[in-house]
Amino acid sequence: GESVGLHLPTLSVQEGDNSIINCAYSNSASDYFIWYKQESGKGPQFIIDIRSNMDKRQGQRVTVLLNKTVKHLSLQIAATQPGDSAVYFCAENNNAGNMLTFGGGTRLMVKP
Amino acid sequence: GAVVSQHPSWVICKSGTSVKIECRSLDFQATTMFWYRQFPKQSLMLMATSNEGSKATYEQGVEKDKFLINHASLTLSTLTVTSAHPEDSSFYICSASLAAEGNTIYFGEGSWLTVV
């Protein structure tokens, strides 16, 4: 049977709306942060990254915001589409040889 | 972007047997690769850091004699699950860092292991 474990928080949005996914990190020494998208049964896919000397970075339809004061990271997806439905993980680089530490993940569900 | 390939994508094995999973960087050399495992509805958990030409560095709680890692070349790391048991059934994912892109980390597609 399925392993008992942490159930991912779920964010449900209407197609076309904006999505905001939040993440808290723990290591104040981390200087590099990444958002990954993981579709069912597949490996993580890089979305966008940000370094600690920045507080905002924009990509295509996505924006990452970094608040180092409260150790908080967010991913904003504009005009959310059904293809954006997936689990989203934030990851931090803890300066230990490019090792990434992942957050718990958020499941994004887009309603048509 | 760079491509990291894992093989096999799916594998079912009998309890007590050993299974090898390969992780290849297809178009770049990776001196460092990482192995993760992921249980359903959970996040990725780092198992070990694989360094080319040297022993892997295992995370606390990961049995190095059970999860053998070999990084014999700059494009290949292997994870062997020895004497597999049903509780080893999981999704195993590798990643590799690309120095030429500021050590951006690329992930493989993952390998599903089911031990029966």
Side-chain angles (χ1 to χ4, degrees), chain B residues 35-56:
Chain B
W35 285 97
Y36 295 82
R37 68 186 301 182
Q38 184 179 33
F39 292 109
K41 298 184 180 181
Q42 293 191 26
S43 187
L44 285 74
M45 292 184 59
L46 180 67
M47 299 175 66
T49 302
S50 172
N51 302 297
E52 187 269 336
S54 64
K55 292 182 178 180

Side-chain angles (χ1 to χ4, degrees), chain B residues 23-43:
Chain B
C23 177
R24 294 182 185 273
S25 54
L26 296 187
D27 48 3
F28 67 100
Q29 294 182 330
T31 55
T32 304
M33 291 183 174
F34 304 89
W35 285 97
Y36 295 82
R37 68 186 301 182
Q38 184 179 33
F39 292 109
K41 298 184 180 181
Q42 293 191 26
S43 187

Side-chain angles (χ1 to χ4, degrees), chain A residues 87-105:
Chain A
V87 176
Y88 290 81
F89 293 99
C90 67
E92 60 182 299
N93 183 323
N94 62 3
N95 275 331
N98 298 318
M99 186 175 71
L100 291 179
T101 303
F102 281 81

Side-chain angles (χ1 to χ4, degrees), chain A residues 22-51:
Chain A
N22 297 303
C23 178
Y25 64 95
S26 56
N27 190 346
S28 57
S30 295
D31 65 351
Y32 180 52
F33 305 87
I34 312 166
W35 279 100
Y36 285 95
K37 172 185 179 182
Q38 187 178 28
E39 296 175 345
S40 181
K42 297 184 178 180
Q45 178 185 1
F46 174 92
I47 301 175
I48 192 168
D49 59 359
I50 189 169
R51 296 199 178 270

Side-chain angles (χ1 to χ4, degrees), chain B residues 37-85:
Chain B
R37 68 186 301 182
Q38 184 179 33
F39 292 109
K41 298 184 180 181
Q42 293 191 26
S43 187
L44 285 74
M45 292 184 59
L46 180 67
M47 299 175 66
T49 302
S50 172
N51 302 297
E52 187 269 336
S54 64
K55 292 182 178 180
T57 303
Y58 290 82
E59 294 301 297
Q60 189 174 9
V62 178
E63 299 175 60
K64 62 180 181 180
D65 294 329
K66 180 170 184 61
F67 298 100
L68 300 179
I69 291 174
N70 184 284
H71 195 155
S73 78
L74 287 171
T75 59
L76 173 65
S77 175
T78 60
L79 168 68
T80 301
V81 183
T82 62
S83 186
H85 291 284

